[in-house]
Amino acid sequence: MTMSPHEVQAYVLTYLEALDCQIIERSPAHVTVKLSPEADKALTNRPYYWGFVERTGAPAETMSFTFIFDPDSYQQAIEAAEATAAQASPPAVPNPDGTNGVTNGSPQGEPPKEAILGRYFGITPSLPQLGPGRILREEVVYGSRRLQQIFGAAREGGAFVNLFEQAAKRQLRATAPAVYEPWLGVCFKVEFACDLKREELHFLGISLRSGEIIEKFGTKLNRRDLSPRLAENMHVQTAKVSLFDAGAALESHLTNRLLELDYSWAEKAQERLDLELDVLDTYYEAVLREDTPEVELPGNITSDTENENVHSDRTPPAPLIKVVDITNAKPIGADVELAAEAAVPIDSETDAEEEKAKQAVIDREAMKLQYETRRTEMIWQYEPKVKVTAISSGMFHLR
């Protein structure tokens, strides 16, 4: 799934307009906006500043952004504007003082303006603009961090709403107040997942007075003028169904609808999973059946090819090699040296075999861990499952 620059721009503008942000400049490739306090709190991550404003009551100064949705088109527009400005600017005239500098169309009698720092340090670069008047520039394309932040802010801010249907003008002048009927609306996202994936949205509504459930509740709301403000001369009825019972009724209704669907895709996914697991088991079975010499590792870990689950708690003493018989020792140094030289290669060969066996056991344990990990990942990928999530909900008071 992806979004074109036009779709990204439409989504971002809808979010900014919903939060009452001030649009300063707008084009097909970008938008310059001054954030509202609510949008500034959600997007700029300045909790200390807003804490200071709330504690002291100081006037809040929100930030301004230029969101670029099509970087290539925006850069071309900037270059075209610079070229037009260069052609419209007056030509440079030589400096009448006889210096090598030029004056851009200024009167000959007027001395050129120079900054104080320029007298001592020459030409000084312009400093970046800081403070409230600064306008930050960011590219907002599909996959960018700023767009993901806007997605998260929209989900968090729109997870639950409380809206009232606006009455006609003649109702404001009526003698008897109109009556609102409370409705609970929940938008469910249903995911049918295996190695493939499909998603559906089900927007259900239930009346808290009668318990009536309506599917495609969004079409009922699209034809009505909704506002978070309660209109004048209107009366809200008391709910007879609690929110807990209403949510349980919607979940039960959606479950019954899902049970009526065709799940042949799940059977095919299970067959693919069994096939993949057979291939995986066959591959690792040959590796795990390799003969590994029995050896003890540090921590009383023993490997046995016949029974891998048997571990010995006892550590046999290391064999002692009798090099010289002390009781029959003779003052002949040559025999002792020859015996010691003969013993050294035996110890080296034994240590090398033990290290090799220990490494083989470590490799075998790593292979077993890899096999279990691959099997878990394959089950997670291919196993058919249905996941239901409530992504948004709200109370809607309708006439």
Side-chain angles (χ1 to χ4, degrees):
M1 179 180 177
T2 184
M3 296 176 66
S4 64
H6 177 72
E7 293 173 339
V8 172
Q9 183 180 19
Y11 184 89
V12 173
L13 287 177
T14 302
Y15 174 78
L16 296 176
E17 292 173 356
L19 296 184
D20 296 329
C21 298
Q22 179 183 357
I23 305 297
I24 301 175
E25 185 181 12
R26 177 179 174 182
S27 75
H30 83 289
V31 62
T32 301
V33 59
K34 184 174 179 59
L35 300 180
S36 63
E38 184 180 356
D40 192 283
K41 294 178 182 179
L43 301 180
T44 59
N45 192 20
R46 299 192 298 168
Y48 295 108
Y49 172 75
W50 286 106
F52 167 78
V53 170
E54 293 172 358
R55 289 193 307 270
T56 61
E61 186 63 39
T62 60
M63 299 183 66
S64 300
F65 284 89
T66 295
F67 294 134
I68 303 173
F69 307 105
D70 192 345
D72 296 335
S73 301
Y74 181 77
Q75 185 62 30
Q76 293 176 2
I78 291 295
E79 294 175 356
E82 292 177 352
T84 303
Q87 293 177 358
S89 62
V93 228
N95 196 332
D97 296 337
T99 59
N100 293 331
V102 294
T103 59
N104 295 329
S106 60
Q108 295 183 0
E110 181 181 353
K113 299 180 180 179
E114 63 178 24
I116 297 178
L117 292 179
R119 299 177 183 177
Y120 302 97
F121 301 102
I123 300 176
T124 57
S126 59
L127 298 176
Q129 186 177 4
L130 302 176
R134 179 180 55 170
I135 298 179
L136 302 179
R137 181 181 301 180
E138 288 191 13
E139 294 184 2
V140 181
V141 296
Y142 186 73
S144 63
R145 295 183 60 183
R146 179 63 70 181
L147 184 59
Q148 296 297 327
Q149 185 185 29
I150 294 177
F151 284 159
R155 281 196 301 268
E156 182 179 357
F160 184 84
V161 295
N162 188 20
L163 300 177
F164 301 87
E165 181 181 359
Q166 296 301 295
K169 293 183 178 180
R170 62 177 181 272
Q171 176 60 36
L172 301 178
R173 299 187 298 267
T175 56
V179 177
Y180 278 130
E181 181 182 6
W183 288 77
L184 173 65
V186 182
C187 183
F188 294 96
K189 181 177 71 172
V190 182
E191 300 180 10
F192 304 93
C194 52
D195 53 328
L196 304 174
K197 188 176 182 180
R198 181 168 63 90
E199 296 180 349
E200 295 180 355
L201 294 179
H202 296 263
F203 195 7
L204 306 180
I206 179 172
S207 173
L208 300 185
R209 292 284 298 178
S210 61
E212 177 189 3
I213 296 178
I214 296 180
E215 297 184 355
K216 298 181 180 180
F217 189 58
T219 58
K220 182 181 181 66
L221 300 178
N222 291 336
R223 300 189 300 266
R224 302 172 184 267
D225 183 18
L226 302 176
S227 172
R229 184 180 63 87
L230 176 63
E232 299 177 0
N233 202 18
M234 302 293 292
H235 172 68
V236 179
Q237 289 181 317
T238 304
K240 294 183 178 180
V241 182
S242 65
L243 291 178
F244 180 81
D245 294 338
L250 292 180
E251 292 180 3
S252 177
H253 179 83
L254 182 60
T255 302
N256 294 334
R257 285 284 183 246
L258 295 179
L259 292 176
E260 299 174 358
L261 300 179
D262 181 18
Y263 289 94
S264 58
W265 62 272
E267 299 175 357
K268 296 179 181 179
Q270 187 64 41
E271 294 176 359
R272 293 195 297 271
L273 173 61
D274 296 338
L275 179 61
E276 294 292 337
L277 291 179
D278 291 341
V279 174
L280 185 68
D281 295 341
T282 303
Y283 171 75
Y284 280 96
E285 183 179 2
V287 178
L288 295 176
R289 282 185 178 179
E290 294 180 355
D291 292 335
T292 303
E294 181 179 357
V295 66
E296 289 197 2
L297 293 177
N300 299 329
I301 301 178
T302 305
S303 174
D304 192 351
T305 56
E306 296 181 357
N307 187 1
E308 298 178 355
N309 296 326
V310 177
H311 300 276
S312 176
D313 295 332
R314 297 182 301 172
T315 303
L320 299 178
I321 301 176
K322 187 176 181 181
V323 179
V324 181
D325 188 2
I326 301 178
T327 59
N328 298 326
K330 299 179 180 180
I332 301 176
D335 294 340
V336 177
E337 293 178 359
L338 290 176
E341 292 177 359
V344 171
I346 297 177
D347 293 341
S348 301
E349 293 177 0
T350 303
D351 294 341
E353 291 179 358
E354 290 181 358
E355 291 296 333
K356 185 177 181 180
K358 292 179 181 179
Q359 187 61 38
V361 173
I362 294 175
D363 295 342
R364 182 183 181 86
E365 295 297 329
M367 189 63 65
K368 289 175 61 178
L369 180 60
Q370 181 182 3
Y371 166 65
E372 295 173 358
T373 303
R374 290 286 302 275
R375 187 178 179 87
T376 303
E377 292 176 351
M378 197 158 292
I379 293 176
W380 173 84
Q381 179 181 1
Y382 284 88
E383 187 178 25
K385 45 189 171 293
V386 179
K387 182 179 179 181
V388 181
T389 308
I391 58 176
S392 62
S393 59
M395 285 294 302
F396 301 91
H397 304 273
L398 308 178
R399 296 182 59 189

